[in-house]
């Protein structure tokens, strides 16, 4: 289940809170596409901006709209008490796996983070994906901590933050992770621009920020890599260079939110304040890239 | 009001949530000391780990126990909607000023942060203290953004993250900030080990992590600086070197929490998970420092 193309949905907001109808539409649309699983309440789903009640409702709406696809639900929060609440509501909704990042305000120690995963491991009955995203959590995992956490019974996968650009270096990194992790734990690349390199290097999954909104552009990369077509995966990724350029400039959340707004999949602005979406010249740059990609 | 020694209280936790009785006791104790104001729900008060309902209750308990001292309440949160809720409940409780940091998960832009302060400025009727703490918020203010935010009507003070160790460089930094900020906006130093240097350099306030728990050790620094006794302030600070060493090693929150536990002001552990307090050898180092400081 924790393999292939996992599509992380936006959680669109309107003036009042979560735009439930638009969210249901996004999940439905992704479920009807060629992606392998649907993930909600990741960074692309603005999980840290929602309280446990809102999280429970989002998980329920996702479960109702995901069809036959496996559903991954993000449970991370600053406080362990809230993480456990989110784990309970996600499982009650029918989540097939849970995604957990060590979200921080105070700097966390390795002991704090191991304790968090250990507490969650003991409380859940579905696989946990370890979400490693130093840009947003400001926590840097060591390989030793990866190995300790991977030994917990319910840990099923790692969502790694990217791989080296060089194919040989990427393979060396993935090979090293394989050597220190149990065989049944999968590795998923994130940072969409690293997907082809990561999959070619042996990652089992691509945890993708773009794939729920733009499944047809994402699927060819995974399919090529799955067939061992290294060049095909690279070429499919290179065709999305206008998107990678935007992500490098604005961050993938603001980019995919602007694209979803331009495609009228969500109302505008769809991000939670204080995050202001891309406007003016920045928005124009998104539209130009969308034209190059054949999306407008 | 936003001058002198502002004492930031811990928010102690027990197995269930906020330990209200212990918190009331901490505020009471600080209010009976020589500090000039009491601040709750700062970083030392674990504000980001509490939801709006808990924040409202903490603000109310503080207001009931602060006596005649001015009360500052932290209102920061990841989502503007929650910040505005916290501002409302803090003012309803009787807060005399509000403390606001640009808490982030997604990287915030200057426009996002100006928008946040602008939205809060329009919604409140008491002074706002701009809380600049890049270690926890991962947002770095520019001087230009300081000036833009300082021009908002209700902005009354900046809680700056520290000053250069060198006295002349510290004075140059404070003089520069004075030159770009309105005259009626005060500057408060934080990072307790920088207090003497910051006050000697002309800061109006010390926003202190230690002062609610250890008021008698903090007051002499402020009193000396207020009398223009530069050497006296430096000496009073140097006497606390064992504390500064602990802060550099463990971060001030874990240190002051361990000290409050050792002094039986709070139950142990008093921090919210996933933050595990200092134990074992680390705890022993705290006890040794407390002995040197005459606290045990």
């Amino acid at each position: 289940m924790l393999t292939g193309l996992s599509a992380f949905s936006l959680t669109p907001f309107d003036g009042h809170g979560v735009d439930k109808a638009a969210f249901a539409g996004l999940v439905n649309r992704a479920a009807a596409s060629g992606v392998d699983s649907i993930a909600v309440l990741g960074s692309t789903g603005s999980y840290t901006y929602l309280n446990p009640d809102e999280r429970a409702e989002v998980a329920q709406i996702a479960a109702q709209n995901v069809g036959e696809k496996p559903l991954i639900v993000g449970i991370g929060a600053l406080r362990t008490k809230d993480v456990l609440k989110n784990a309970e509501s996600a499982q009650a909704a029918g989540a097939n796996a849970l995604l957990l990042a060590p979200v921080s305000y105070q700097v966390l120690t390795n002991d704090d983070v191991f304790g968090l995963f250990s507490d969650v491991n003991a409380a859940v009955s579905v696989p946990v994906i370890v979400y490693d995203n130093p840009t947003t959590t400001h926590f840097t995992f060591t390989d030793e901590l990866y190995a300790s956490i991977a030994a917990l019974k319910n840990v099923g996968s790692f969502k790694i933050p990217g791989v080296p650009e060089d194919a040989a270096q990427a393979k060396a990194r993935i090979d090293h992770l394989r050597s220190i992790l149990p065989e049944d734990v999968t590795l998923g690349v994130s940072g969409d621009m690293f997907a082809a390199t990561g999959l070619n290097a042996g990652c089992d999954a691509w945890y993708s920020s773009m794939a729920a909104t733009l499944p047809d552009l994402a699927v060819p990369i995974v399919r090529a890599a799955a067939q061992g077509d290294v060049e095909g995966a690279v070429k499919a990724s290179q065709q999305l260079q206008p998107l990678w350029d935007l992500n490098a400039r604005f961050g993938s959340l603001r980019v995919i939110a602007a694209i979803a707004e331009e495609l009228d999949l969500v109302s505008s602005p769809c991000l939670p304040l204080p995050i202001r979406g891309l406007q003016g010249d920045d928005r124009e740059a998104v539209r130009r890239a969308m034209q190059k990609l054949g999306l407008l």
Side-chain angles (χ1 to χ4, degrees), chain A residues 70-120:
Chain A
L71 173 63
I72 298 166
V73 177
I75 61 170
L78 277 168
R79 191 165 159 196
T80 300
K81 190 177 176 180
D82 290 332
V83 175
L84 295 172
K85 262 191 220 170
N86 295 336
E88 198 176 323
S89 66
Q91 289 182 107
N96 303 103
L98 308 171
L99 177 76
L100 176 57
V103 185
S104 75
Y105 177 78
Q106 293 288 339
V107 175
L108 296 178
T109 66
N110 286 352
D111 282 353
D112 293 338
V113 171
F114 181 78
L116 169 67
F117 280 93
S118 182
D119 288 346
V120 169

Side-chain angles (χ1 to χ4, degrees), chain A residues 98-233:
Chain A
L98 308 171
L99 177 76
L100 176 57
V103 185
S104 75
Y105 177 78
Q106 293 288 339
V107 175
L108 296 178
T109 66
N110 286 352
D111 282 353
D112 293 338
V113 171
F114 181 78
L116 169 67
F117 280 93
S118 182
D119 288 346
V120 169
N121 175 70
V124 303
S125 55
V126 298
V128 173
I129 304 166
V130 179
Y131 183 10
D132 177 3
N133 185 346
T135 305
T136 54
T137 66
H138 307 286
F139 180 79
T140 301
F141 284 90
T142 62
D143 287 353
E144 291 68 29
L145 185 57
Y146 260 45
S148 306
I149 290 174
L152 297 168
K153 182 172 58 86
N154 288 311
V155 169
S157 184
F158 282 74
K159 179 180 188 298
I160 66 173
V163 291
E165 271 186 57
D166 176 76
Q169 283 178 31
K171 184 159 188 317
R173 175 67 188 148
I174 298 303
D175 287 350
H176 175 68
L177 286 176
R178 295 268 183 232
S179 75
I180 62 168
L181 300 178
E183 257 186 40
D184 58 346
V185 169
T186 71
L187 289 173
V189 65
S190 58
D192 289 343
M193 72 188 82
F194 301 110
T197 309
L199 291 164
N200 283 340
C203 284
D204 310 282
W206 171 18
Y207 294 118
S208 171
S209 175
M210 66 174 282
T213 305
L214 302 173
D216 296 344
L217 298 186
V219 166
I221 297 175
V222 179
R223 294 295 165 262
Q227 291 162 14
D229 178 5
V230 169
E231 284 302 310

Side-chain angles (χ1 to χ4, degrees), chain A residues 29-51:
Chain A
R29 184 169 167 275
S33 78
V35 307
D36 299 305
S37 63
I38 310 284
V40 300
L41 296 171
S43 294
T44 302
S46 297
Y47 72 109
T48 53
Y49 298 87
L50 295 167
N51 65 40

